[in-house]
Amino acid sequence: MDHLKFHTDKLRASGLRPTKQRLAISKILFNRKETFHFTIDQLKKIAEKNIKKKISVATLYNTVHAFEKKGYLKEISLKGNKTFFDTNTRSHHHFYDEETSQLTDIKNENISISNLPKAPNGKKIRDIEVTIKVASNNQKQKNLV
Amino acid sequence: MDHLKFHTDKLRASGLRPTKQRLAISKILFNRKETFHFTIDQLKKIAEKNIKKKISVATLYNTVHAFEKKGYLKEISLKGNKTFFDTNTRSHHHFYDEETSQLTDIKNENISISNLPKAPNGKKIRDIEVTIKVASNNQKQKNLV
DNA sequence: ATGCAGTTTATAATGATTCTAAACTATAAG
DNA sequence: CTTATAGTTTAGAATCATTATAAACTGCAT
C-alpha cells in the first residue's frame, strides 16, 4: 500500500486524522515528483476514481483548505471563477495557457526581475508572482514594451 | 455636460448605442487621468450614485463585457471570487495589497524581466503579468530566493 | 468494546455571474 | 414630428463555485 505511512504520518503530524478521504487526497497530491496544479472538481474526479466511491465536495474543500493552512498547498492568482491550487508552495512563477487552462511552473531562479519600483506607502513586498500567458503561435501578441 | 460628445462618439464608434447607462459608466471609467481598478459591485455603487437611480447588474455586466470586447477594459488575474477590471489595457503590472484589495499599476518599463525560459511546446508568449503582493510591514515575507 | 471528539456527508445557503423574455428606447425612415 | 423596429435595459430566475449546517459516521484513547 504505497507509502501509506508517509501520508498517515504527515496527516497526524499536522493534527489531522488520517481518514480514508484525506489519505486518498494526500496520495493524489503528494505522491508526485512534479508540481500538481488543480481545481476542486478536477481533484474530485481523480479522488472518486481512486477510491471508487463518491466523495463530498465539502470534504474536498475542507481538506484542501486544511492542507493550504498547513502550508502544503497554495492558491494561484488567475482570472476566471474557479480557484486553482498548486502543490508547489515555494515562491515561483507560471506559464499559463488560457486556451487549455494548463499551468507550468517556472522556478524563481529561472526568471530575473530587476529595477522594481518601491512598494506604496508603509507597505512591504511579500511575494512576486509572474504569470506568462502563452498561446498557439497563430495568436496575436501584446505589445510587451 | 462634461465631455458628453466624447463618450457618445466613443460608444457610437464601437457600434454601441449611447444610452444613459452606458454614458454614465463610460464617464466613470474613462473620465480619469489615473488607471481605475474595479469590481462590478463597486462600479454599480458609483454609477447609481451618479445617475441617482438603480441600475441592473445585468446592464453592468453587459456594458463592462462590451467594453472589454472592444479593448477598453481588461480583466486582472487575482485570486478570490470576484473579477477585477482595469481601465489600463496596456500590458503592465501591479502591486496588490491583499489586505485591502488595493491595486496599483506598475508600468512595463518600470520592471525589468530577463532570462525568461522559453515557452512550452508549440506555444508563444503573449503577455507577462507581474503581481507584487504587498502587506503592512509587520507581516512575514516569503523567501524570494 | 465503548465513548466521544473529530470527520464526512447531503443538503441548504450564499455570492458572483449569466440567462431570459418582457418592457423600454434610440434612431432611421417617412 | 410620428412610427416601426432593432438594440437595450431590467427584474427575476438559473447556474456555478464555494461555504455553512447539523445529522450520521469513524478513528482512536480508554
Side-chain angles (χ1 to χ4, degrees):
Chain A
M1 245 196 167
D2 59 309
H3 307 95
L4 213 175
K5 185 164 188 314
F6 170 76
H7 297 285
T8 303
D9 290 352
K10 180 167 185 165
L11 285 166
R12 265 201 262 265
S14 311
L16 300 169
R17 281 193 186 167
T19 62
K20 270 188 281 297
Q21 293 85 342
R22 284 175 178 163
L23 284 167
I25 293 170
S26 186
K27 283 186 205 168
I28 292 165
L29 299 180
F30 307 120
N31 267 358
R32 314 187 167 247
K33 242 333 195 202
E34 300 281 307
T35 282
F36 184 44
H37 304 105
F38 64 96
T39 60
I40 291 291
D41 57 302
Q42 288 166 357
L43 179 59
K44 183 168 195 283
K45 288 194 186 103
I46 299 171
E48 293 184 341
K49 200 191 303 188
N50 285 12
I51 65 176
K52 298 186 215 15
K53 286 207 307 180
K54 289 258 165 252
I55 184 168
S56 166
V57 287
T59 300
L60 290 157
Y61 279 102
N62 287 343
T63 303
V64 164
H65 286 151
F67 286 173
E68 189 186 9
K69 194 164 296 175
K70 290 294 170 184
Y72 303 149
L73 290 175
K74 76 172 192 177
E75 202 181 321
I76 300 174
S77 301
L78 287 181
K79 53 189 184 186
N81 34 333
K82 285 193 210 307
T83 301
F84 279 78
F85 294 93
D86 191 339
T87 56
N88 181 351
T89 58
R90 305 204 57 196
S91 177
H92 68 286
H93 311 301
H94 293 104
F95 282 117
Y96 180 50
D97 185 338
E98 282 183 315
E99 296 164 329
T100 63
S101 295
Q102 190 67 45
L103 283 158
T104 312
D105 275 10
I106 305 170
K107 288 192 185 141
N108 260 10
E109 51 269 37
N110 288 340
I111 293 188
S112 310
I113 302 168
S114 46
N115 271 324
L116 282 186
K118 48 182 82 59
N121 10 328
K123 301 290 176 172
K124 194 172 163 190
I125 293 176
R126 289 197 59 213
D127 195 17
I128 300 174
E129 220 178 318
V130 178
T131 304
I132 304 183
K133 294 186 201 158
V134 300
S136 318
N137 282 316
N138 52 332
Q139 303 265 337
K140 265 180 289 180
Q141 182 180 19
K142 288 224 176 182
N143 178 12
L144 303 179
V145 174
Chain B
M1 245 192 170
D2 58 312
H3 308 95
L4 210 175
K5 184 164 187 317
F6 170 76
H7 298 285
T8 303
D9 289 353
K10 179 167 187 166
L11 285 165
R12 266 201 262 264
S14 311
L16 300 168
R17 284 191 184 168
T19 62
K20 270 188 279 298
Q21 294 85 343
R22 285 175 177 163
L23 284 167
I25 293 169
S26 186
K27 285 185 203 169
I28 293 165
L29 299 180
F30 307 119
N31 268 357
R32 315 187 166 245
K33 236 352 191 188
E34 301 282 307
T35 282
F36 184 44
H37 304 106
F38 64 95
T39 59
I40 292 291
D41 59 300
Q42 288 167 354
L43 180 60
K44 184 168 195 281
K45 289 195 185 105
I46 301 171
E48 293 184 341
K49 200 192 302 189
N50 285 14
I51 65 176
K52 298 185 212 20
K53 285 207 307 182
K54 291 256 165 255
I55 184 168
S56 166
V57 286
T59 300
L60 289 158
Y61 280 103
N62 287 343
T63 304
V64 165
H65 287 150
F67 286 173
E68 190 185 9
K69 194 165 296 175
K70 289 294 169 183
Y72 303 150
L73 290 175
K74 75 172 193 177
E75 202 181 321
I76 300 174
S77 301
L78 287 180
K79 54 188 183 188
N81 36 332
K82 284 190 210 306
T83 300
F84 279 78
F85 294 92
D86 192 339
T87 57
N88 181 352
T89 58
R90 308 205 56 197
S91 177
H92 68 286
H93 312 299
H94 294 103
F95 282 117
Y96 180 50
D97 185 338
E98 281 183 316
E99 296 165 329
T100 63
S101 295
Q102 189 68 45
L103 283 157
T104 312
D105 275 10
I106 305 170
K107 288 191 187 143
N108 259 9
E109 51 269 36
N110 288 340
I111 293 187
S112 309
I113 303 168
S114 48
N115 272 323
L116 281 186
K118 47 184 82 59
N121 12 330
K123 301 289 176 172
K124 196 172 162 190
I125 292 175
R126 289 196 60 212
D127 195 16
I128 300 174
E129 220 178 316
V130 178
T131 305
I132 303 183
K133 294 188 200 158
V134 299
S136 318
N137 282 315
N138 51 334
Q139 304 266 336
K140 266 180 287 182
Q141 181 179 18
K142 287 225 179 184
N143 178 13
L144 302 180
V145 173

